[in-house]
mmCIF file of all heavy atoms in Angstrom:
data_model
loop_
_atom_site.group_PDB
_atom_site.id
_atom_site.type_symbol
_atom_site.label_atom_id
_atom_site.label_comp_id
_atom_site.label_asym_id
_atom_site.label_seq_id
_atom_site.Cartn_x
_atom_site.Cartn_y
_atom_site.Cartn_z
ATOM 1 N N LEU A 850 36.479 -16.066 140.789
ATOM 2 C CA LEU A 850 37.504 -16.620 141.669
ATOM 3 C C LEU A 850 36.981 -16.740 143.094
ATOM 4 O O LEU A 850 36.217 -15.899 143.570
ATOM 5 C CB LEU A 850 38.754 -15.733 141.647
ATOM 6 C CG LEU A 850 39.489 -15.639 140.311
ATOM 7 C CD1 LEU A 850 40.674 -14.701 140.432
ATOM 8 C CD2 LEU A 850 39.934 -17.010 139.833
ATOM 9 N N SER A 851 37.413 -17.773 143.775
ATOM 10 C CA SER A 851 36.970 -18.012 145.147
ATOM 11 C C SER A 851 37.631 -17.030 146.103
ATOM 12 O O SER A 851 38.651 -16.403 145.793
ATOM 13 C CB SER A 851 37.314 -19.437 145.561
ATOM 14 O OG SER A 851 38.726 -19.602 145.630
ATOM 15 N N THR A 852 37.050 -16.919 147.286
ATOM 16 C CA THR A 852 37.621 -16.062 148.319
ATOM 17 C C THR A 852 39.028 -16.517 148.673
ATOM 18 O O THR A 852 39.914 -15.695 148.922
ATOM 19 C CB THR A 852 36.737 -16.079 149.582
ATOM 20 O OG1 THR A 852 35.437 -15.575 149.252
ATOM 21 C CG2 THR A 852 37.332 -15.224 150.689
ATOM 22 N N GLU A 853 39.246 -17.824 148.693
ATOM 23 C CA GLU A 853 40.565 -18.360 149.035
ATOM 24 C C GLU A 853 41.627 -17.898 148.055
ATOM 25 O O GLU A 853 42.750 -17.550 148.443
ATOM 26 C CB GLU A 853 40.514 -19.895 149.077
ATOM 27 C CG GLU A 853 39.779 -20.475 150.274
ATOM 28 C CD GLU A 853 38.268 -20.250 150.215
ATOM 29 O OE1 GLU A 853 37.723 -20.092 149.098
ATOM 30 O OE2 GLU A 853 37.637 -20.204 151.289
ATOM 31 N N LEU A 855 41.424 -15.168 145.999
ATOM 32 C CA LEU A 855 41.572 -13.716 146.128
ATOM 33 C C LEU A 855 42.391 -13.358 147.364
ATOM 34 O O LEU A 855 43.223 -12.443 147.326
ATOM 35 C CB LEU A 855 40.197 -13.058 146.194
ATOM 36 C CG LEU A 855 39.353 -13.102 144.912
ATOM 37 C CD1 LEU A 855 37.940 -12.613 145.186
ATOM 38 C CD2 LEU A 855 39.998 -12.273 143.806
ATOM 39 N N LYS A 856 42.170 -14.081 148.436
ATOM 40 C CA LYS A 856 42.887 -13.814 149.680
ATOM 41 C C LYS A 856 44.389 -14.048 149.522
ATOM 42 O O LYS A 856 45.209 -13.388 150.169
ATOM 43 C CB LYS A 856 42.333 -14.708 150.789
ATOM 44 C CG LYS A 856 42.886 -14.414 152.176
ATOM 45 C CD LYS A 856 42.212 -15.289 153.217
ATOM 46 C CE LYS A 856 42.728 -15.003 154.623
ATOM 47 N NZ LYS A 856 42.047 -15.853 155.633
ATOM 48 N N GLN A 881 29.846 -7.369 140.748
ATOM 49 C CA GLN A 881 29.802 -8.100 142.014
ATOM 50 C C GLN A 881 31.185 -8.361 142.589
ATOM 51 O O GLN A 881 31.334 -8.640 143.780
ATOM 52 C CB GLN A 881 29.055 -9.427 141.860
ATOM 53 C CG GLN A 881 29.639 -10.403 140.858
ATOM 54 C CD GLN A 881 28.931 -10.331 139.521
ATOM 55 O OE1 GLN A 881 28.531 -9.247 139.094
ATOM 56 N NE2 GLN A 881 28.740 -11.483 138.883
ATOM 57 N N LEU A 882 32.210 -8.238 141.740
ATOM 58 C CA LEU A 882 33.581 -8.416 142.233
ATOM 59 C C LEU A 882 33.902 -7.362 143.294
ATOM 60 O O LEU A 882 34.599 -7.655 144.272
ATOM 61 C CB LEU A 882 34.575 -8.324 141.078
ATOM 62 C CG LEU A 882 36.063 -8.358 141.453
ATOM 63 C CD1 LEU A 882 36.422 -9.667 142.141
ATOM 64 C CD2 LEU A 882 36.935 -8.164 140.210
ATOM 65 N N GLU A 883 33.389 -6.147 143.106
ATOM 66 C CA GLU A 883 33.651 -5.075 144.068
ATOM 67 C C GLU A 883 33.114 -5.447 145.449
ATOM 68 O O GLU A 883 33.769 -5.209 146.465
ATOM 69 C CB GLU A 883 33.026 -3.765 143.592
ATOM 70 C CG GLU A 883 33.358 -2.577 144.473
ATOM 71 C CD GLU A 883 32.840 -1.272 143.906
ATOM 72 O OE1 GLU A 883 31.852 -1.294 143.135
ATOM 73 O OE2 GLU A 883 33.418 -0.214 144.228
ATOM 74 N N LYS A 884 31.938 -6.028 145.488
ATOM 75 C CA LYS A 884 31.355 -6.449 146.769
ATOM 76 C C LYS A 884 32.159 -7.598 147.367
ATOM 77 O O LYS A 884 32.369 -7.650 148.585
ATOM 78 C CB LYS A 884 29.896 -6.865 146.569
ATOM 79 C CG LYS A 884 29.175 -7.180 147.863
ATOM 80 C CD LYS A 884 27.703 -7.478 147.626
ATOM 81 C CE LYS A 884 26.986 -7.770 148.936
ATOM 82 N NZ LYS A 884 25.538 -8.044 148.728
ATOM 83 N N GLN A 885 32.604 -8.525 146.514
ATOM 84 C CA GLN A 885 33.430 -9.631 147.004
ATOM 85 C C GLN A 885 34.682 -9.112 147.694
ATOM 86 O O GLN A 885 35.096 -9.612 148.744
ATOM 87 C CB GLN A 885 33.845 -10.538 145.839
ATOM 88 C CG GLN A 885 32.723 -11.351 145.221
ATOM 89 C CD GLN A 885 33.198 -12.098 143.986
ATOM 90 O OE1 GLN A 885 32.803 -11.814 142.869
ATOM 91 N NE2 GLN A 885 34.084 -13.065 144.195
ATOM 92 N N LEU A 886 35.299 -8.080 147.102
ATOM 93 C CA LEU A 886 36.562 -7.563 147.621
ATOM 94 C C LEU A 886 36.389 -6.820 148.937
ATOM 95 O O LEU A 886 37.377 -6.525 149.616
ATOM 96 C CB LEU A 886 37.212 -6.641 146.583
ATOM 97 C CG LEU A 886 37.636 -7.323 145.276
ATOM 98 C CD1 LEU A 886 38.095 -6.289 144.254
ATOM 99 C CD2 LEU A 886 38.731 -8.344 145.536
ATOM 100 N N GLN A 887 35.153 -6.497 149.299
ATOM 101 C CA GLN A 887 34.887 -5.784 150.544
ATOM 102 C C GLN A 887 34.692 -6.726 151.728
ATOM 103 O O GLN A 887 34.471 -6.281 152.851
ATOM 104 C CB GLN A 887 33.654 -4.892 150.381
ATOM 105 C CG GLN A 887 33.861 -3.748 149.399
ATOM 106 C CD GLN A 887 32.581 -3.005 149.087
ATOM 107 O OE1 GLN A 887 31.497 -3.378 149.532
ATOM 108 N NE2 GLN A 887 32.691 -1.921 148.320
ATOM 109 N N ALA A 888 34.776 -8.025 151.489
ATOM 110 C CA ALA A 888 34.618 -9.004 152.559
ATOM 111 C C ALA A 888 35.728 -8.839 153.601
ATOM 112 O O ALA A 888 36.863 -8.482 153.273
ATOM 113 C CB ALA A 888 34.652 -10.421 151.983
ATOM 114 N N THR A 889 35.383 -9.087 154.860
ATOM 115 C CA THR A 889 36.336 -8.899 155.959
ATOM 116 C C THR A 889 37.611 -9.704 155.756
ATOM 117 O O THR A 889 38.721 -9.211 155.999
ATOM 118 C CB THR A 889 35.690 -9.310 157.294
ATOM 119 O OG1 THR A 889 34.503 -8.543 157.494
ATOM 120 C CG2 THR A 889 36.642 -9.069 158.450
ATOM 121 N N GLU A 890 37.468 -10.940 155.269
ATOM 122 C CA GLU A 890 38.648 -11.794 155.108
ATOM 123 C C GLU A 890 39.544 -11.346 153.958
ATOM 124 O O GLU A 890 40.660 -11.849 153.802
ATOM 125 C CB GLU A 890 38.227 -13.255 154.899
ATOM 126 C CG GLU A 890 37.293 -13.483 153.741
ATOM 127 C CD GLU A 890 35.834 -13.476 154.153
ATOM 128 O OE1 GLU A 890 35.447 -12.594 154.954
ATOM 129 O OE2 GLU A 890 35.086 -14.348 153.688
ATOM 130 N N LEU A 891 39.075 -10.400 153.138
ATOM 131 C CA LEU A 891 39.881 -9.896 152.018
ATOM 132 C C LEU A 891 40.404 -8.483 152.287
ATOM 133 O O LEU A 891 40.782 -7.769 151.363
ATOM 134 C CB LEU A 891 39.053 -9.907 150.724
ATOM 135 C CG LEU A 891 38.639 -11.284 150.206
ATOM 136 C CD1 LEU A 891 37.808 -11.154 148.946
ATOM 137 C CD2 LEU A 891 39.855 -12.162 149.947
ATOM 138 N N ARG A 892 40.430 -8.101 153.548
ATOM 139 C CA ARG A 892 40.854 -6.745 153.888
ATOM 140 C C ARG A 892 42.289 -6.470 153.440
ATOM 141 O O ARG A 892 42.614 -5.388 152.961
ATOM 142 C CB ARG A 892 40.722 -6.527 155.399
ATOM 143 C CG ARG A 892 41.008 -5.085 155.847
ATOM 144 C CD ARG A 892 40.643 -4.922 157.313
ATOM 145 N NE ARG A 892 39.219 -5.182 157.520
ATOM 146 C CZ ARG A 892 38.666 -5.327 158.728
ATOM 147 N NH1 ARG A 892 39.420 -5.273 159.805
ATOM 148 N NH2 ARG A 892 37.376 -5.549 158.849
ATOM 149 N N GLU A 893 43.159 -7.454 153.591
ATOM 150 C CA GLU A 893 44.557 -7.278 153.184
ATOM 151 C C GLU A 893 44.648 -7.021 151.682
ATOM 152 O O GLU A 893 45.413 -6.161 151.233
ATOM 153 C CB GLU A 893 45.378 -8.502 153.552
ATOM 154 C CG GLU A 893 46.857 -8.361 153.205
ATOM 155 C CD GLU A 893 47.675 -9.592 153.553
ATOM 156 O OE1 GLU A 893 47.097 -10.545 154.116
ATOM 157 O OE2 GLU A 893 48.871 -9.609 153.248
ATOM 158 N N LEU A 894 43.865 -7.752 150.896
ATOM 159 C CA LEU A 894 43.847 -7.550 149.446
ATOM 160 C C LEU A 894 43.281 -6.186 149.101
ATOM 161 O O LEU A 894 43.845 -5.457 148.273
ATOM 162 C CB LEU A 894 43.024 -8.649 148.775
ATOM 163 C CG LEU A 894 42.755 -8.478 147.276
ATOM 164 C CD1 LEU A 894 44.062 -8.485 146.487
ATOM 165 C CD2 LEU A 894 41.818 -9.571 146.773
ATOM 166 N N GLU A 895 42.175 -5.815 149.735
ATOM 167 C CA GLU A 895 41.532 -4.533 149.441
ATOM 168 C C GLU A 895 42.474 -3.361 149.703
ATOM 169 O O GLU A 895 42.488 -2.371 148.963
ATOM 170 C CB GLU A 895 40.264 -4.384 150.273
ATOM 171 C CG GLU A 895 39.456 -3.138 149.936
ATOM 172 C CD GLU A 895 38.238 -2.977 150.813
ATOM 173 O OE1 GLU A 895 38.215 -3.572 151.918
ATOM 174 O OE2 GLU A 895 37.310 -2.243 150.429
ATOM 175 N N GLN A 896 43.287 -3.468 150.748
ATOM 176 C CA GLN A 896 44.220 -2.393 151.076
ATOM 177 C C GLN A 896 45.308 -2.230 150.023
ATOM 178 O O GLN A 896 45.934 -1.171 149.936
ATOM 179 C CB GLN A 896 44.853 -2.667 152.442
ATOM 180 C CG GLN A 896 43.883 -2.541 153.604
ATOM 181 C CD GLN A 896 44.489 -2.946 154.929
ATOM 182 O OE1 GLN A 896 45.552 -3.590 154.982
ATOM 183 N NE2 GLN A 896 43.838 -2.581 156.022
ATOM 184 N N ILE A 898 44.720 -2.598 146.737
ATOM 185 C CA ILE A 898 44.112 -2.136 145.487
ATOM 186 C C ILE A 898 44.252 -0.626 145.403
ATOM 187 O O ILE A 898 43.705 0.105 146.217
ATOM 188 C CB ILE A 898 42.627 -2.555 145.412
ATOM 189 C CG1 ILE A 898 42.510 -4.081 145.403
ATOM 190 C CG2 ILE A 898 41.963 -1.956 144.182
ATOM 191 C CD1 ILE A 898 41.084 -4.589 145.498
#
Side-chain angles (χ1 to χ4, degrees):
L850 296 178
S851 66
T852 299
E853 287 70 25
L855 292 171
K856 187 176 181 179
Q881 60 262 36
L882 174 61
E883 185 174 26
K884 186 175 181 179
Q885 290 174 248
L886 295 172
Q887 293 171 355
T889 303
E890 56 266 43
L891 295 179
R892 186 171 299 169
E893 182 181 357
L894 172 62
E895 186 183 21
Q896 291 174 345
I898 297 173

